[in-house]
mmCIF file with all atom_site columns, all heavy atoms in Angstrom:
data_model
loop_
_atom_site.group_PDB
_atom_site.id
_atom_site.type_symbol
_atom_site.label_atom_id
_atom_site.label_alt_id
_atom_site.label_comp_id
_atom_site.label_asym_id
_atom_site.label_entity_id
_atom_site.label_seq_id
_atom_site.pdbx_PDB_ins_code
_atom_site.Cartn_x
_atom_site.Cartn_y
_atom_site.Cartn_z
_atom_site.occupancy
_atom_site.B_iso_or_equiv
_atom_site.pdbx_formal_charge
_atom_site.auth_seq_id
_atom_site.auth_comp_id
_atom_site.auth_asym_id
_atom_site.auth_atom_id
_atom_site.pdbx_PDB_model_num
ATOM 1   N N   . ARG A 1 129 ? 102.459 91.356  97.807  1.00 84.00 ? 398 ARG A N   1
ATOM 2   C CA  . ARG A 1 129 ? 101.967 92.542  97.107  1.00 84.00 ? 398 ARG A CA  1
ATOM 3   C C   . ARG A 1 129 ? 102.874 92.985  95.964  1.00 84.00 ? 398 ARG A C   1
ATOM 4   O O   . ARG A 1 129 ? 103.021 94.173  95.694  1.00 84.00 ? 398 ARG A O   1
ATOM 5   C CB  . ARG A 1 129 ? 101.741 93.690  98.096  1.00 84.00 ? 398 ARG A CB  1
ATOM 6   C CG  . ARG A 1 129 ? 100.784 93.218  99.179  1.00 84.00 ? 398 ARG A CG  1
ATOM 7   C CD  . ARG A 1 129 ? 100.315 94.291  100.094 1.00 84.00 ? 398 ARG A CD  1
ATOM 8   N NE  . ARG A 1 129 ? 99.531  93.645  101.143 1.00 84.00 ? 398 ARG A NE  1
ATOM 9   C CZ  . ARG A 1 129 ? 99.026  94.251  102.184 1.00 84.00 ? 398 ARG A CZ  1
ATOM 10  N NH1 . ARG A 1 129 ? 99.204  95.543  102.319 1.00 84.00 ? 398 ARG A NH1 1
ATOM 11  N NH2 . ARG A 1 129 ? 98.337  93.591  103.087 1.00 84.00 ? 398 ARG A NH2 1
ATOM 12  N N   . GLN A 1 203 ? 80.884  87.096  84.597  1.00 93.00 ? 472 GLN A N   1
ATOM 13  C CA  . GLN A 1 203 ? 79.630  87.785  84.886  1.00 93.00 ? 472 GLN A CA  1
ATOM 14  C C   . GLN A 1 203 ? 79.124  87.527  86.300  1.00 93.00 ? 472 GLN A C   1
ATOM 15  O O   . GLN A 1 203 ? 78.149  88.117  86.729  1.00 93.00 ? 472 GLN A O   1
ATOM 16  C CB  . GLN A 1 203 ? 78.571  87.359  83.861  1.00 93.00 ? 472 GLN A CB  1
ATOM 17  C CG  . GLN A 1 203 ? 78.894  87.922  82.482  1.00 93.00 ? 472 GLN A CG  1
ATOM 18  C CD  . GLN A 1 203 ? 78.030  87.345  81.398  1.00 93.00 ? 472 GLN A CD  1
ATOM 19  O OE1 . GLN A 1 203 ? 77.307  86.379  81.623  1.00 93.00 ? 472 GLN A OE1 1
ATOM 20  N NE2 . GLN A 1 203 ? 78.100  87.930  80.210  1.00 93.00 ? 472 GLN A NE2 1
ATOM 21  N N   . SER A 1 204 ? 79.794  86.643  87.003  1.00 94.00 ? 473 SER A N   1
ATOM 22  C CA  . SER A 1 204 ? 79.360  86.338  88.365  1.00 94.00 ? 473 SER A CA  1
ATOM 23  C C   . SER A 1 204 ? 79.891  87.380  89.340  1.00 94.00 ? 473 SER A C   1
ATOM 24  O O   . SER A 1 204 ? 80.595  88.315  88.961  1.00 94.00 ? 473 SER A O   1
ATOM 25  C CB  . SER A 1 204 ? 79.879  84.958  88.767  1.00 94.00 ? 473 SER A CB  1
ATOM 26  O OG  . SER A 1 204 ? 81.272  85.032  88.985  1.00 94.00 ? 473 SER A OG  1
ATOM 27  N N   . ARG A 1 205 ? 79.556  87.195  90.604  1.00 94.00 ? 474 ARG A N   1
ATOM 28  C CA  . ARG A 1 205 ? 80.104  88.077  91.626  1.00 94.00 ? 474 ARG A CA  1
ATOM 29  C C   . ARG A 1 205 ? 81.624  88.013  91.641  1.00 94.00 ? 474 ARG A C   1
ATOM 30  O O   . ARG A 1 205 ? 82.302  88.999  91.862  1.00 94.00 ? 474 ARG A O   1
ATOM 31  C CB  . ARG A 1 205 ? 79.607  87.633  92.997  1.00 94.00 ? 474 ARG A CB  1
ATOM 32  C CG  . ARG A 1 205 ? 78.221  88.076  93.307  1.00 94.00 ? 474 ARG A CG  1
ATOM 33  C CD  . ARG A 1 205 ? 78.002  87.940  94.806  1.00 94.00 ? 474 ARG A CD  1
ATOM 34  N NE  . ARG A 1 205 ? 76.777  88.559  95.197  1.00 94.00 ? 474 ARG A NE  1
ATOM 35  C CZ  . ARG A 1 205 ? 75.680  87.864  95.552  1.00 94.00 ? 474 ARG A CZ  1
ATOM 36  N NH1 . ARG A 1 205 ? 75.706  86.558  95.541  1.00 94.00 ? 474 ARG A NH1 1
ATOM 37  N NH2 . ARG A 1 205 ? 74.595  88.509  95.900  1.00 94.00 ? 474 ARG A NH2 1
ATOM 38  N N   . TYR A 1 206 ? 82.141  86.809  91.393  1.00 96.00 ? 475 TYR A N   1
ATOM 39  C CA  . TYR A 1 206 ? 83.592  86.653  91.370  1.00 96.00 ? 475 TYR A CA  1
ATOM 40  C C   . TYR A 1 206 ? 84.215  87.575  90.310  1.00 96.00 ? 475 TYR A C   1
ATOM 41  O O   . TYR A 1 206 ? 85.245  88.198  90.547  1.00 96.00 ? 475 TYR A O   1
ATOM 42  C CB  . TYR A 1 206 ? 83.958  85.199  91.078  1.00 96.00 ? 475 TYR A CB  1
ATOM 43  C CG  . TYR A 1 206 ? 85.431  84.908  91.221  1.00 96.00 ? 475 TYR A CG  1
ATOM 44  C CD1 . TYR A 1 206 ? 85.964  84.517  92.432  1.00 96.00 ? 475 TYR A CD1 1
ATOM 45  C CD2 . TYR A 1 206 ? 86.293  85.039  90.137  1.00 96.00 ? 475 TYR A CD2 1
ATOM 46  C CE1 . TYR A 1 206 ? 87.310  84.267  92.576  1.00 96.00 ? 475 TYR A CE1 1
ATOM 47  C CE2 . TYR A 1 206 ? 87.644  84.797  90.268  1.00 96.00 ? 475 TYR A CE2 1
ATOM 48  C CZ  . TYR A 1 206 ? 88.148  84.413  91.497  1.00 96.00 ? 475 TYR A CZ  1
ATOM 49  O OH  . TYR A 1 206 ? 89.486  84.179  91.628  1.00 96.00 ? 475 TYR A OH  1
ATOM 50  N N   . ARG A 1 208 ? 83.010  90.400  89.244  1.00 95.00 ? 477 ARG A N   1
ATOM 51  C CA  . ARG A 1 208 ? 82.965  91.784  89.759  1.00 95.00 ? 477 ARG A CA  1
ATOM 52  C C   . ARG A 1 208 ? 84.123  92.016  90.725  1.00 95.00 ? 477 ARG A C   1
ATOM 53  O O   . ARG A 1 208 ? 84.809  93.019  90.701  1.00 95.00 ? 477 ARG A O   1
ATOM 54  C CB  . ARG A 1 208 ? 81.663  92.066  90.504  1.00 95.00 ? 477 ARG A CB  1
ATOM 55  C CG  . ARG A 1 208 ? 80.387  91.706  89.786  1.00 95.00 ? 477 ARG A CG  1
ATOM 56  C CD  . ARG A 1 208 ? 80.087  92.657  88.687  1.00 95.00 ? 477 ARG A CD  1
ATOM 57  N NE  . ARG A 1 208 ? 80.637  92.134  87.441  1.00 95.00 ? 477 ARG A NE  1
ATOM 58  C CZ  . ARG A 1 208 ? 80.695  92.798  86.321  1.00 95.00 ? 477 ARG A CZ  1
ATOM 59  N NH1 . ARG A 1 208 ? 80.274  94.020  86.266  1.00 95.00 ? 477 ARG A NH1 1
ATOM 60  N NH2 . ARG A 1 208 ? 81.196  92.250  85.240  1.00 95.00 ? 477 ARG A NH2 1
ATOM 61  N N   . ALA A 1 212 ? 87.248  94.574  90.529  1.00 95.00 ? 481 ALA A N   1
ATOM 62  C CA  . ALA A 1 212 ? 87.534  95.468  91.652  1.00 95.00 ? 481 ALA A CA  1
ATOM 63  C C   . ALA A 1 212 ? 88.984  95.327  92.102  1.00 95.00 ? 481 ALA A C   1
ATOM 64  O O   . ALA A 1 212 ? 89.654  96.322  92.390  1.00 95.00 ? 481 ALA A O   1
ATOM 65  C CB  . ALA A 1 212 ? 86.586  95.164  92.810  1.00 95.00 ? 481 ALA A CB  1
ATOM 66  N N   . ARG A 1 214 ? 91.411  94.448  90.195  1.00 93.00 ? 483 ARG A N   1
ATOM 67  C CA  . ARG A 1 214 ? 92.217  95.074  89.143  1.00 93.00 ? 483 ARG A CA  1
ATOM 68  C C   . ARG A 1 214 ? 92.285  96.588  89.347  1.00 93.00 ? 483 ARG A C   1
ATOM 69  O O   . ARG A 1 214 ? 93.346  97.186  89.268  1.00 93.00 ? 483 ARG A O   1
ATOM 70  C CB  . ARG A 1 214 ? 91.594  94.756  87.779  1.00 93.00 ? 483 ARG A CB  1
ATOM 71  C CG  . ARG A 1 214 ? 92.295  95.426  86.607  1.00 93.00 ? 483 ARG A CG  1
ATOM 72  C CD  . ARG A 1 214 ? 91.481  95.271  85.331  1.00 93.00 ? 483 ARG A CD  1
ATOM 73  N NE  . ARG A 1 214 ? 90.354  96.179  85.305  1.00 93.00 ? 483 ARG A NE  1
ATOM 74  C CZ  . ARG A 1 214 ? 89.316  96.067  84.476  1.00 93.00 ? 483 ARG A CZ  1
ATOM 75  N NH1 . ARG A 1 214 ? 89.254  95.061  83.638  1.00 93.00 ? 483 ARG A NH1 1
ATOM 76  N NH2 . ARG A 1 214 ? 88.337  96.936  84.505  1.00 93.00 ? 483 ARG A NH2 1
ATOM 77  N N   . ASP A 1 215 ? 91.136  97.179  89.648  1.00 91.00 ? 484 ASP A N   1
ATOM 78  C CA  . ASP A 1 215 ? 91.076  98.641  89.684  1.00 91.00 ? 484 ASP A CA  1
ATOM 79  C C   . ASP A 1 215 ? 91.434  99.232  91.044  1.00 91.00 ? 484 ASP A C   1
ATOM 80  O O   . ASP A 1 215 ? 91.719  100.423 91.133  1.00 91.00 ? 484 ASP A O   1
ATOM 81  C CB  . ASP A 1 215 ? 89.669  99.116  89.279  1.00 91.00 ? 484 ASP A CB  1
ATOM 82  C CG  . ASP A 1 215 ? 89.382  98.801  87.824  1.00 91.00 ? 484 ASP A CG  1
ATOM 83  O OD1 . ASP A 1 215 ? 90.350  98.521  87.096  1.00 91.00 ? 484 ASP A OD1 1
ATOM 84  O OD2 . ASP A 1 215 ? 88.205  98.824  87.420  1.00 91.00 ? 484 ASP A OD2 1
ATOM 85  N N   . ARG A 1 219 ? 91.772  98.845  98.075  1.00 90.00 ? 488 ARG A N   1
ATOM 86  C CA  . ARG A 1 219 ? 90.417  99.123  98.532  1.00 90.00 ? 488 ARG A CA  1
ATOM 87  C C   . ARG A 1 219 ? 89.670  97.822  98.805  1.00 90.00 ? 488 ARG A C   1
ATOM 88  O O   . ARG A 1 219 ? 88.920  97.717  99.784  1.00 90.00 ? 488 ARG A O   1
ATOM 89  C CB  . ARG A 1 219 ? 89.691  99.945  97.455  1.00 90.00 ? 488 ARG A CB  1
ATOM 90  C CG  . ARG A 1 219 ? 88.318  100.401 97.861  1.00 90.00 ? 488 ARG A CG  1
ATOM 91  C CD  . ARG A 1 219 ? 88.399  101.441 98.957  1.00 90.00 ? 488 ARG A CD  1
ATOM 92  N NE  . ARG A 1 219 ? 87.074  101.821 99.421  1.00 90.00 ? 488 ARG A NE  1
ATOM 93  C CZ  . ARG A 1 219 ? 86.424  101.198 100.397 1.00 90.00 ? 488 ARG A CZ  1
ATOM 94  N NH1 . ARG A 1 219 ? 86.977  100.164 100.980 1.00 90.00 ? 488 ARG A NH1 1
ATOM 95  N NH2 . ARG A 1 219 ? 85.235  101.606 100.772 1.00 90.00 ? 488 ARG A NH2 1
ATOM 96  N N   . LEU A 1 223 ? 87.467  95.862  102.045 1.00 94.00 ? 492 LEU A N   1
ATOM 97  C CA  . LEU A 1 223 ? 86.106  95.334  102.006 1.00 94.00 ? 492 LEU A CA  1
ATOM 98  C C   . LEU A 1 223 ? 86.080  93.939  102.621 1.00 94.00 ? 492 LEU A C   1
ATOM 99  O O   . LEU A 1 223 ? 85.077  93.251  102.587 1.00 94.00 ? 492 LEU A O   1
ATOM 100 C CB  . LEU A 1 223 ? 85.599  95.275  100.567 1.00 94.00 ? 492 LEU A CB  1
ATOM 101 C CG  . LEU A 1 223 ? 85.287  96.615  99.922  1.00 94.00 ? 492 LEU A CG  1
ATOM 102 C CD1 . LEU A 1 223 ? 84.748  96.404  98.509  1.00 94.00 ? 492 LEU A CD1 1
ATOM 103 C CD2 . LEU A 1 223 ? 84.271  97.389  100.745 1.00 94.00 ? 492 LEU A CD2 1
ATOM 104 N N   . GLY A 1 224 ? 87.217  93.490  103.136 1.00 93.00 ? 493 GLY A N   1
ATOM 105 C CA  . GLY A 1 224 ? 87.238  92.207  103.821 1.00 93.00 ? 493 GLY A CA  1
ATOM 106 C C   . GLY A 1 224 ? 87.620  91.031  102.953 1.00 93.00 ? 493 GLY A C   1
ATOM 107 O O   . GLY A 1 224 ? 87.503  89.886  103.375 1.00 93.00 ? 493 GLY A O   1
ATOM 108 N N   . TYR A 1 225 ? 88.070  91.296  101.709 1.00 95.00 ? 494 TYR A N   1
ATOM 109 C CA  . TYR A 1 225 ? 88.529  90.200  100.860 1.00 95.00 ? 494 TYR A CA  1
ATOM 110 C C   . TYR A 1 225 ? 90.046  90.159  100.880 1.00 95.00 ? 494 TYR A C   1
ATOM 111 O O   . TYR A 1 225 ? 90.700  91.155  101.153 1.00 95.00 ? 494 TYR A O   1
ATOM 112 C CB  . TYR A 1 225 ? 88.080  90.419  99.412  1.00 95.00 ? 494 TYR A CB  1
ATOM 113 C CG  . TYR A 1 225 ? 86.597  90.413  99.198  1.00 95.00 ? 494 TYR A CG  1
ATOM 114 C CD1 . TYR A 1 225 ? 85.894  91.605  99.145  1.00 95.00 ? 494 TYR A CD1 1
ATOM 115 C CD2 . TYR A 1 225 ? 85.908  89.226  99.018  1.00 95.00 ? 494 TYR A CD2 1
ATOM 116 C CE1 . TYR A 1 225 ? 84.526  91.618  98.924  1.00 95.00 ? 494 TYR A CE1 1
ATOM 117 C CE2 . TYR A 1 225 ? 84.544  89.221  98.798  1.00 95.00 ? 494 TYR A CE2 1
ATOM 118 C CZ  . TYR A 1 225 ? 83.854  90.422  98.747  1.00 95.00 ? 494 TYR A CZ  1
ATOM 119 O OH  . TYR A 1 225 ? 82.511  90.424  98.529  1.00 95.00 ? 494 TYR A OH  1
ATOM 120 N N   . GLU B 2 70  ? 94.745  93.345  107.022 1.00 91.00 ? 82  GLU B N   1
ATOM 121 C CA  . GLU B 2 70  ? 93.639  94.282  106.853 1.00 91.00 ? 82  GLU B CA  1
ATOM 122 C C   . GLU B 2 70  ? 92.294  93.586  106.697 1.00 91.00 ? 82  GLU B C   1
ATOM 123 O O   . GLU B 2 70  ? 91.321  93.940  107.351 1.00 91.00 ? 82  GLU B O   1
ATOM 124 C CB  . GLU B 2 70  ? 93.872  95.182  105.632 1.00 91.00 ? 82  GLU B CB  1
ATOM 125 C CG  . GLU B 2 70  ? 95.066  96.103  105.732 1.00 91.00 ? 82  GLU B CG  1
ATOM 126 C CD  . GLU B 2 70  ? 96.288  95.536  105.053 1.00 91.00 ? 82  GLU B CD  1
ATOM 127 O OE1 . GLU B 2 70  ? 96.481  94.287  105.124 1.00 91.00 ? 82  GLU B OE1 1
ATOM 128 O OE2 . GLU B 2 70  ? 97.053  96.308  104.459 1.00 91.00 ? 82  GLU B OE2 1
ATOM 129 N N   . HIS B 2 71  ? 92.250  92.584  105.788 1.00 93.00 ? 83  HIS B N   1
ATOM 130 C CA  . HIS B 2 71  ? 90.942  91.994  105.519 1.00 93.00 ? 83  HIS B CA  1
ATOM 131 C C   . HIS B 2 71  ? 90.429  91.197  106.721 1.00 93.00 ? 83  HIS B C   1
ATOM 132 O O   . HIS B 2 71  ? 89.233  91.017  106.883 1.00 93.00 ? 83  HIS B O   1
ATOM 133 C CB  . HIS B 2 71  ? 90.969  91.152  104.240 1.00 93.00 ? 83  HIS B CB  1
ATOM 134 C CG  . HIS B 2 71  ? 91.796  89.918  104.327 1.00 93.00 ? 83  HIS B CG  1
ATOM 135 N ND1 . HIS B 2 71  ? 93.149  89.905  104.107 1.00 93.00 ? 83  HIS B ND1 1
ATOM 136 C CD2 . HIS B 2 71  ? 91.456  88.645  104.614 1.00 93.00 ? 83  HIS B CD2 1
ATOM 137 C CE1 . HIS B 2 71  ? 93.605  88.684  104.242 1.00 93.00 ? 83  HIS B CE1 1
ATOM 138 N NE2 . HIS B 2 71  ? 92.606  87.893  104.553 1.00 93.00 ? 83  HIS B NE2 1
ATOM 139 N N   . ARG B 2 75  ? 86.917  91.651  108.735 1.00 94.00 ? 87  ARG B N   1
ATOM 140 C CA  . ARG B 2 75  ? 86.045  90.524  109.077 1.00 94.00 ? 87  ARG B CA  1
ATOM 141 C C   . ARG B 2 75  ? 85.655  90.496  110.556 1.00 94.00 ? 87  ARG B C   1
ATOM 142 O O   . ARG B 2 75  ? 84.670  89.871  110.924 1.00 94.00 ? 87  ARG B O   1
ATOM 143 C CB  . ARG B 2 75  ? 86.723  89.206  108.686 1.00 94.00 ? 87  ARG B CB  1
ATOM 144 C CG  . ARG B 2 75  ? 86.589  88.977  107.206 1.00 94.00 ? 87  ARG B CG  1
ATOM 145 C CD  . ARG B 2 75  ? 87.542  87.969  106.648 1.00 94.00 ? 87  ARG B CD  1
ATOM 146 N NE  . ARG B 2 75  ? 87.319  87.884  105.213 1.00 94.00 ? 87  ARG B NE  1
ATOM 147 C CZ  . ARG B 2 75  ? 86.465  87.031  104.647 1.00 94.00 ? 87  ARG B CZ  1
ATOM 148 N NH1 . ARG B 2 75  ? 85.804  86.180  105.392 1.00 94.00 ? 87  ARG B NH1 1
ATOM 149 N NH2 . ARG B 2 75  ? 86.277  87.045  103.357 1.00 94.00 ? 87  ARG B NH2 1
ATOM 150 N N   . VAL B 2 86  ? 87.186  106.057 97.296  1.00 82.00 ? 98  VAL B N   1
ATOM 151 C CA  . VAL B 2 86  ? 87.542  105.082 96.277  1.00 82.00 ? 98  VAL B CA  1
ATOM 152 C C   . VAL B 2 86  ? 86.360  104.154 96.078  1.00 82.00 ? 98  VAL B C   1
ATOM 153 O O   . VAL B 2 86  ? 86.053  103.348 96.948  1.00 82.00 ? 98  VAL B O   1
ATOM 154 C CB  . VAL B 2 86  ? 88.754  104.234 96.696  1.00 82.00 ? 98  VAL B CB  1
ATOM 155 C CG1 . VAL B 2 86  ? 89.419  103.642 95.470  1.00 82.00 ? 98  VAL B CG1 1
ATOM 156 C CG2 . VAL B 2 86  ? 89.750  105.040 97.496  1.00 82.00 ? 98  VAL B CG2 1
ATOM 157 N N   . ASP B 2 98  ? 76.839  95.377  96.449  1.00 95.00 ? 110 ASP B N   1
ATOM 158 C CA  . ASP B 2 98  ? 76.732  93.928  96.562  1.00 95.00 ? 110 ASP B CA  1
ATOM 159 C C   . ASP B 2 98  ? 78.095  93.307  96.846  1.00 95.00 ? 110 ASP B C   1
ATOM 160 O O   . ASP B 2 98  ? 78.208  92.371  97.631  1.00 95.00 ? 110 ASP B O   1
ATOM 161 C CB  . ASP B 2 98  ? 76.146  93.364  95.269  1.00 95.00 ? 110 ASP B CB  1
ATOM 162 C CG  . ASP B 2 98  ? 75.931  91.866  95.371  1.00 95.00 ? 110 ASP B CG  1
ATOM 163 O OD1 . ASP B 2 98  ? 74.978  91.474  96.061  1.00 95.00 ? 110 ASP B OD1 1
ATOM 164 O OD2 . ASP B 2 98  ? 76.727  91.113  94.796  1.00 95.00 ? 110 ASP B OD2 1
ATOM 165 N N   . LEU B 2 99  ? 79.114  93.868  96.199  1.00 95.00 ? 111 LEU B N   1
ATOM 166 C CA  . LEU B 2 99  ? 80.473  93.370  96.441  1.00 95.00 ? 111 LEU B CA  1
ATOM 167 C C   . LEU B 2 99  ? 80.835  93.534  97.915  1.00 95.00 ? 111 LEU B C   1
ATOM 168 O O   . LEU B 2 99  ? 81.373  92.625  98.552  1.00 95.00 ? 111 LEU B O   1
ATOM 169 C CB  . LEU B 2 99  ? 81.451  94.145  95.562  1.00 95.00 ? 111 LEU B CB  1
ATOM 170 C CG  . LEU B 2 99  ? 82.882  93.652  95.557  1.00 95.00 ? 111 LEU B CG  1
ATOM 171 C CD1 . LEU B 2 99  ? 82.948  92.277  94.926  1.00 95.00 ? 111 LEU B CD1 1
ATOM 172 C CD2 . LEU B 2 99  ? 83.772  94.621  94.800  1.00 95.00 ? 111 LEU B CD2 1
ATOM 173 N N   . PHE B 2 103 ? 81.178  89.945  101.367 1.00 93.00 ? 115 PHE B N   1
ATOM 174 C CA  . PHE B 2 103 ? 82.542  89.593  101.772 1.00 93.00 ? 115 PHE B CA  1
ATOM 175 C C   . PHE B 2 103 ? 82.625  88.407  102.719 1.00 93.00 ? 115 PHE B C   1
ATOM 176 O O   . PHE B 2 103 ? 83.687  87.824  102.869 1.00 93.00 ? 115 PHE B O   1
ATOM 177 C CB  . PHE B 2 103 ? 83.258  90.801  102.368 1.00 93.00 ? 115 PHE B CB  1
ATOM 178 C CG  . PHE B 2 103 ? 82.856  91.123  103.785 1.00 93.00 ? 115 PHE B CG  1
ATOM 179 C CD1 . PHE B 2 103 ? 83.752  90.948  104.829 1.00 93.00 ? 115 PHE B CD1 1
ATOM 180 C CD2 . PHE B 2 103 ? 81.590  91.590  104.072 1.00 93.00 ? 115 PHE B CD2 1
ATOM 181 C CE1 . PHE B 2 103 ? 83.397  91.254  106.134 1.00 93.00 ? 115 PHE B CE1 1
ATOM 182 C CE2 . PHE B 2 103 ? 81.224  91.892  105.368 1.00 93.00 ? 115 PHE B CE2 1
ATOM 183 C CZ  . PHE B 2 103 ? 82.117  91.726  106.397 1.00 93.00 ? 115 PHE B CZ  1
ATOM 184 N N   . LEU B 2 110 ? 80.950  82.713  95.214  1.00 90.00 ? 122 LEU B N   1
ATOM 185 C CA  . LEU B 2 110 ? 80.839  83.954  94.433  1.00 90.00 ? 122 LEU B CA  1
ATOM 186 C C   . LEU B 2 110 ? 80.748  83.658  92.941  1.00 90.00 ? 122 LEU B C   1
ATOM 187 O O   . LEU B 2 110 ? 80.426  84.532  92.152  1.00 90.00 ? 122 LEU B O   1
ATOM 188 C CB  . LEU B 2 110 ? 82.050  84.854  94.690  1.00 90.00 ? 122 LEU B CB  1
ATOM 189 C CG  . LEU B 2 110 ? 82.249  85.350  96.110  1.00 90.00 ? 122 LEU B CG  1
ATOM 190 C CD1 . LEU B 2 110 ? 83.492  86.193  96.196  1.00 90.00 ? 122 LEU B CD1 1
ATOM 191 C CD2 . LEU B 2 110 ? 81.045  86.154  96.568  1.00 90.00 ? 122 LEU B CD2 1
ATOM 192 N N   . ALA B 2 111 ? 81.065  82.439  92.537  1.00 88.00 ? 123 ALA B N   1
ATOM 193 C CA  . ALA B 2 111 ? 81.101  82.109  91.122  1.00 88.00 ? 123 ALA B CA  1
ATOM 194 C C   . ALA B 2 111 ? 79.715  82.081  90.496  1.00 88.00 ? 123 ALA B C   1
ATOM 195 O O   . ALA B 2 111 ? 79.579  81.894  89.296  1.00 88.00 ? 123 ALA B O   1
ATOM 196 C CB  . ALA B 2 111 ? 81.804  80.772  90.907  1.00 88.00 ? 123 ALA B CB  1
ATOM 197 N N   . ARG B 2 113 ? 76.082  83.964  89.539  1.00 86.00 ? 125 ARG B N   1
ATOM 198 C CA  . ARG B 2 113 ? 75.655  85.306  89.208  1.00 86.00 ? 125 ARG B CA  1
ATOM 199 C C   . ARG B 2 113 ? 74.776  85.886  90.298  1.00 86.00 ? 125 ARG B C   1
ATOM 200 O O   . ARG B 2 113 ? 74.048  85.157  90.959  1.00 86.00 ? 125 ARG B O   1
ATOM 201 C CB  . ARG B 2 113 ? 74.870  85.269  87.908  1.00 86.00 ? 125 ARG B CB  1
ATOM 202 C CG  . ARG B 2 113 ? 75.459  86.185  86.864  1.00 86.00 ? 125 ARG B CG  1
ATOM 203 C CD  . ARG B 2 113 ? 74.632  86.099  85.623  1.00 86.00 ? 125 ARG B CD  1
ATOM 204 N NE  . ARG B 2 113 ? 75.276  85.199  84.662  1.00 86.00 ? 125 ARG B NE  1
ATOM 205 C CZ  . ARG B 2 113 ? 75.036  85.268  83.361  1.00 86.00 ? 125 ARG B CZ  1
ATOM 206 N NH1 . ARG B 2 113 ? 74.188  86.145  82.897  1.00 86.00 ? 125 ARG B NH1 1
ATOM 207 N NH2 . ARG B 2 113 ? 75.641  84.442  82.547  1.00 86.00 ? 125 ARG B NH2 1
ATOM 208 N N   . GLU B 2 150 ? 80.303  105.126 99.394  1.00 92.00 ? 162 GLU B N   1
ATOM 209 C CA  . GLU B 2 150 ? 81.298  104.493 100.273 1.00 92.00 ? 162 GLU B CA  1
ATOM 210 C C   . GLU B 2 150 ? 80.698  104.166 101.630 1.00 92.00 ? 162 GLU B C   1
ATOM 211 O O   . GLU B 2 150 ? 80.920  103.087 102.178 1.00 92.00 ? 162 GLU B O   1
ATOM 212 C CB  . GLU B 2 150 ? 82.500  105.425 100.456 1.00 92.00 ? 162 GLU B CB  1
ATOM 213 C CG  . GLU B 2 150 ? 83.561  105.220 99.412  1.00 92.00 ? 162 GLU B CG  1
ATOM 214 C CD  . GLU B 2 150 ? 84.945  105.345 100.004 1.00 92.00 ? 162 GLU B CD  1
ATOM 215 O OE1 . GLU B 2 150 ? 85.463  104.307 100.444 1.00 92.00 ? 162 GLU B OE1 1
ATOM 216 O OE2 . GLU B 2 150 ? 85.484  106.454 100.044 1.00 92.00 ? 162 GLU B OE2 1
ATOM 217 N N   . GLN B 2 157 ? 78.072  96.082  104.835 1.00 92.00 ? 169 GLN B N   1
ATOM 218 C CA  . GLN B 2 157 ? 78.903  95.061  105.479 1.00 92.00 ? 169 GLN B CA  1
ATOM 219 C C   . GLN B 2 157 ? 78.486  94.819  106.924 1.00 92.00 ? 169 GLN B C   1
ATOM 220 O O   . GLN B 2 157 ? 79.001  93.928  107.572 1.00 92.00 ? 169 GLN B O   1
ATOM 221 C CB  . GLN B 2 157 ? 80.368  95.477  105.440 1.00 92.00 ? 169 GLN B CB  1
ATOM 222 C CG  . GLN B 2 157 ? 80.885  95.642  104.027 1.00 92.00 ? 169 GLN B CG  1
ATOM 223 C CD  . GLN B 2 157 ? 82.383  95.581  103.965 1.00 92.00 ? 169 GLN B CD  1
ATOM 224 O OE1 . GLN B 2 157 ? 83.078  96.387  104.556 1.00 92.00 ? 169 GLN B OE1 1
ATOM 225 N NE2 . GLN B 2 157 ? 82.900  94.614  103.228 1.00 92.00 ? 169 GLN B NE2 1
#
Side-chain angles (χ1 to χ4, degrees):
Chain A
R398 304 189 186 175
Q472 290 170 349
S473 72
R474 281 197 170 107
Y475 188 89
R477 309 286 93 189
R483 176 190 77 196
D484 293 344
R488 185 69 184 89
L492 288 182
Y494 296 97
Chain B
E82 296 97 323
H83 68 275
R87 281 162 182 269
V98 202
D110 184 74
L111 187 66
F115 77 112
L122 298 179
R125 236 180 261 203
E162 271 218 90
Q169 299 200 299

